[in-house]
Amino acid sequence: MSINGAPFCGPPVLASTATKSHTLSTLLAQMFVTAHQSVEATSRSMWLTIRRRNYVTPTHYLETVRNYKALLAEKRTELLSKSNKLSGGLTKLDETRVQVSTLI
C-alpha cells in the first residue's frame, strides 16, 4: 500500500518503532561481525608474534550470539520484575494517599 507514491508503514509511531528495531538489529549484527573479525586478526597476530595458534570458528561466533541472546533475555526478565515491583509500590502509595486523605 502506498500514499502519494510513498510506501505506507502504518502510523508514524509504528513505522518509527519498526525502523528503530531494524536499525538496532543491523547495528548488533555489525558489532558481532566486527568482534569476530577482530578476534581473527588478533589470532593471526598472535601466530606471527609468539607462534601460538588460536582457532576461531563459526561455532565460536554462534556461541557468542547465543550467549548474548541469553543474557539479553535474563536482563529483560530482571527489568520486567523491577518494573512490576515499582508499579506495585506506586499503586500502594496511591492507595495509602487515598486512605490518608479520608482520615483528614
Side-chain angles (χ1 to χ4, degrees):
M1 174 188 242
S2 66
I3 297 177
N4 297 331
F8 179 69
C9 299
V13 172
L14 295 177
S16 174
T17 303
T19 303
K20 286 178 186 176
S21 178
H22 176 70
T23 302
L24 181 60
S25 296
T26 302
L27 290 173
L28 281 172
Q30 288 174 353
M31 179 195 67
F32 282 119
V33 168
T34 301
H36 187 72
Q37 290 172 342
S38 174
V39 170
E40 285 180 326
T42 303
S43 294
R44 279 191 298 275
S45 173
M46 196 166 89
W47 170 248
L48 295 173
T49 308
I50 61 174
R51 291 289 189 214
R52 180 173 173 157
R53 292 250 186 230
N54 179 42
Y55 295 99
V56 183
T57 66
T59 303
H60 291 121
Y61 175 80
L62 294 175
E63 285 176 7
T64 303
V65 172
R66 268 192 295 272
N67 289 336
Y68 175 81
K69 287 175 66 176
L71 182 62
L72 181 62
E74 179 185 325
K75 293 300 178 181
R76 282 183 175 165
T77 302
E78 267 181 41
L79 188 59
L80 182 61
S81 173
K82 289 179 180 182
S83 174
N84 290 337
K85 187 175 182 178
L86 178 63
S87 180
L90 291 173
T91 302
K92 283 292 184 188
L93 283 172
D94 195 41
E95 290 171 1
T96 304
R97 182 188 54 79
V98 170
Q99 289 176 352
V100 167
S101 68
T102 61
L103 294 175
I104 296 177

